[in-house]
Amino acid sequence: MVDFKKLRESKAKPKPINPREIFNALPKPPGINDLYASQAEVLDNWFARRNEQDVVVKLHTGGGKTLVALLMAQSVMNEIGEPVLYLAPTNQLVGQVLAKSREYGISAQPYTKGQPLPADFYDGKSVLVGAYETLFTGRSKFGVRGDGRPPVKVGAIVLDDAHVALTSVREAFTLTIPVKDHADVYADLAGRFRVAFRDVGRSGTFSDITNGKDYGVVEVPSWAWNRKLPEVQHYLSQRVDGIDPYVWPFLRDNLAFCHCLFSRTAVAITPIFPPVDLVPTFEDCPRRIYMSATIADDSEIVRTFGASPEAVAKPITSTSLAGVGERMILVPELMKLGGAAITPMVKGISTWLAQHKKGVAILAPSGPVAKTWTDVATYPETTKAVTERIAEMQSGSSFGPIVLANRYDGIDLAGDSCRFLVMDNLPQGSSNYDVFRMNVVADSAVASLLAQRIEQGIGRGAWRRRSLRCYADRQ
């Protein structure tokens, strides 16, 4: 016989809202009994401040940010029963978040293009996980200000790796016109501003760039850009549907506040500050949680997301180093090697370690640099290939060496899957704006961003991993 009294009591039992209590009630993977001290500390501090709109949470790379973020998301759903959106910079990271959620029994679903948003997400029963362009796109399912659709309201948004999200978010607000696909549009825009570059004494540089001879990036002078704004706006409105219709709703009324950058491969129109206020789901969200690394320049979070400077000035951090992997970092240029050729030596060590089932990963700043390692390493060039090769190393069916081009985050290789990490030279920008900022602006914020990418790279492997940073002048 059914005991309806017990059934009613069971349904009435409140869900835990303290993230530590949520963790204790979850099933644990083998060998996991408790949180790291650093994780527990930041969860306690966040819980006390959970009603603030903007909260920055800092943990060391490899310190378990994903689990912390998922516990916060579950806490919000348990407390207010509203949807929670989890954003990550790359699809690789989206997959890792979903894998972590399955590992701990936290309900999460991937955002799927072309499909309606899941009912469990609307009901506050399951976290929706997607890349940043899931939300930040001119034709977002969540709604864009002025498009006539009611925006989707959420109780919280988790912004994972917020310190490196500037590039991901900026791309969502940038109109990029590649020469190879739209040579006529590129040539038309170049023709409109050729005289402006002559007037500032840079006609030669501009000609070499637009003719494909120079690898630099130049910005159209602001006075010339604003003078021709009406005609550029009219011209692009006629052509943009065949280029990138998802960006245009963000830019069409904000071109006056944009950079116009020419490189040999594309012309890019990008806002000075991404107009995230055009996305009501984000702008009106009552809880925005920025997961960040410990050495991040938090001013980027203010510039990119319009977060409160007061909130960013008091991030939640941990005094504990629990969960941080041990690292031995060697810089060959600072060592007396007796004239030995660095790169052949490192390649030899990489091959020997992989043969002895100790994982080896190589991080290169670009595809051409990555290809110089293909005599000893596998170079997966597509996202799918990267995912497959990383999965092989994580499962122990392969130990590399694997070389990755311009991927300094979103790759987790713990234990024997990565005992030896090589960073060949410094990270470089991947977009016109990145190159322009690093080579032309070159301010202290750029140096901080570079340091962040290096830290992210070092954090690709964790838990007693030996790391060799190789900034090699090839000998």
Side-chain angles (χ1 to χ4, degrees):
M1 182 168 55
V2 177
D3 189 333
F4 289 99
K5 183 178 179 181
K6 289 185 177 179
L7 187 60
R8 284 195 301 272
E9 290 175 351
S10 175
K11 288 186 176 179
K13 185 178 180 180
K15 296 179 181 178
I17 63 173
N18 188 304
R20 285 233 250 171
E21 294 178 10
I22 294 171
F23 175 82
N24 292 335
L26 293 174
K28 311 293 190 301
I32 301 296
N33 298 313
D34 207 349
L35 295 165
Y36 291 136
S38 54
Q39 292 174 314
E41 185 179 355
V42 298
L43 283 171
D44 288 344
N45 290 335
W46 170 81
F47 189 65
R49 295 174 51 186
R50 67 189 184 280
N51 290 319
E52 297 178 18
Q53 183 177 31
D54 292 313
V55 177
V56 176
V57 178
K58 289 190 169 189
L59 275 171
H60 302 282
T61 301
K65 287 197 294 290
T66 302
L67 175 58
V68 167
L70 285 170
L71 289 171
M72 292 174 180
Q74 187 67 61
S75 173
V76 173
M77 292 191 297
N78 287 359
E79 182 176 15
I80 62 178
E82 294 186 359
V84 174
L85 180 62
Y86 191 121
L87 300 178
T90 66
N91 289 327
Q92 176 86 25
L93 271 172
V94 169
Q96 291 184 14
V97 173
L98 293 168
K100 184 66 71 174
S101 72
R102 291 190 295 269
E103 188 178 8
Y104 284 91
I106 296 174
S107 179
Q109 298 186 47
Y111 170 83
T112 305
K113 290 183 179 179
Q115 298 295 323
L117 298 177
D120 282 351
F121 162 69
Y122 277 115
D123 294 339
K125 297 178 180 179
S126 185
V127 183
L128 184 65
V129 186
Y132 276 91
E133 56 264 29
T134 296
L135 179 63
F136 298 111
T137 171
R139 294 186 177 180
S140 173
K141 293 178 187 175
F142 294 86
V144 174
R145 205 173 298 282
D147 68 359
R149 293 178 297 171
V152 176
K153 294 183 179 180
V154 297
I157 299 176
V158 176
L159 299 108
D160 201 1
D161 281 342
H163 55 288
V164 295
L166 175 62
T167 299
S168 299
V169 175
R170 180 168 291 282
E171 285 177 359
F173 290 89
T174 297
L175 178 64
T176 300
I177 306 170
V179 175
K180 65 177 182 179
D181 299 323
H182 305 283
D184 56 333
V185 179
Y186 180 95
D188 184 284
L189 291 174
R192 293 173 191 265
F193 296 107
R194 198 171 298 279
V195 172
F197 282 97
R198 184 196 64 192
D199 291 345
V200 296
R202 302 204 67 191
S203 60
T205 298
F206 185 68
S207 293
D208 281 352
I209 287 174
T210 53
N211 290 328
K213 297 179 181 179
D214 192 297
Y215 286 82
V217 174
V218 290
E219 181 183 18
V220 173
S222 58
W223 54 266
W225 175 248
N226 283 289
R227 180 184 298 170
K228 291 185 175 290
L229 209 56
E231 63 183 74
V232 170
Q233 187 178 44
H234 178 70
Y235 174 70
L236 289 177
S237 68
Q238 297 176 312
R239 304 299 302 270
V240 75
D241 283 347
I243 302 171
D244 189 347
Y246 295 95
V247 174
W248 188 240
F250 290 142
L251 295 186
R252 59 192 176 195
D253 295 324
N254 294 293
L255 291 175
F257 310 106
C258 290
H259 302 283
C260 181
L261 306 171
F262 278 89
S263 71
R264 64 191 294 269
T265 59
V267 55
I269 301 172
T270 187
I272 298 171
F273 301 110
V276 294
D277 59 304
L278 295 179
V279 183
T281 299
F282 178 80
E283 181 71 7
D284 301 334
C285 179
R287 301 184 187 186
R288 302 184 298 206
I289 305 166
Y290 303 90
M291 306 301 297
S292 180
T294 50
I295 67 165
D297 175 10
D298 294 333
S299 63
E300 289 294 331
I301 296 176
V302 178
R303 284 192 288 266
T304 304
F305 299 105
S308 162
E310 293 77 18
V312 171
K314 51 177 184 178
I316 293 174
T317 59
S318 171
T319 56
S320 171
L321 295 179
V324 177
E326 297 175 3
R327 300 168 173 87
M328 180 172 67
I329 300 174
L330 306 177
V331 184
E333 282 73 12
L334 303 181
M335 303 167 64
K336 295 181 180 179
L337 299 176
I342 295 171
T343 300
M345 178 184 69
V346 173
K347 287 183 175 182
I349 295 172
S350 301
T351 302
W352 185 88
L353 285 171
Q355 291 172 347
H356 289 76
K357 298 186 176 181
K358 305 298 181 185
V360 177
I362 300 147
L363 302 182
S366 64
V369 175
K371 289 178 180 178
T372 65
W373 290 86
T374 53
D375 55 333
V376 297
T378 301
Y379 173 37
E381 298 190 48
T382 65
T383 298
K384 180 181 178 182
V386 169
T387 301
E388 292 172 352
R389 300 291 86 76
I390 292 298
E392 290 173 359
M393 294 185 71
Q394 290 171 335
S395 67
S397 60
S398 172
F399 294 91
I402 182 174
V403 58
L404 304 170
N406 201 25
R407 289 178 180 265
Y408 296 87
D409 50 26
I411 306 293
D412 287 336
L413 295 169
D416 283 342
S417 62
C418 183
R419 292 290 185 181
F420 191 70
L421 176 71
V422 179
M423 293 183 68
D424 187 346
N425 221 310
L426 296 172
Q428 297 176 357
S430 56
S431 68
N432 277 7
Y433 180 79
D434 288 339
V435 175
F436 168 74
R437 191 174 178 190
M438 294 184 74
N439 295 336
V440 179
V441 180
D443 57 10
S444 59
V446 172
S448 179
L449 285 172
L450 180 61
Q452 290 170 25
R453 300 204 80 191
I454 293 173
E455 188 210 23
Q456 288 293 108
I458 293 173
R460 290 316 92 216
W463 302 294
R464 298 175 300 282
R465 189 269 339 279
R466 292 174 175 80
S467 172
L468 172 61
R469 289 191 300 179
C470 180
Y471 304 139
D473 294 328
R474 299 186 175 278
Q475 299 180 28

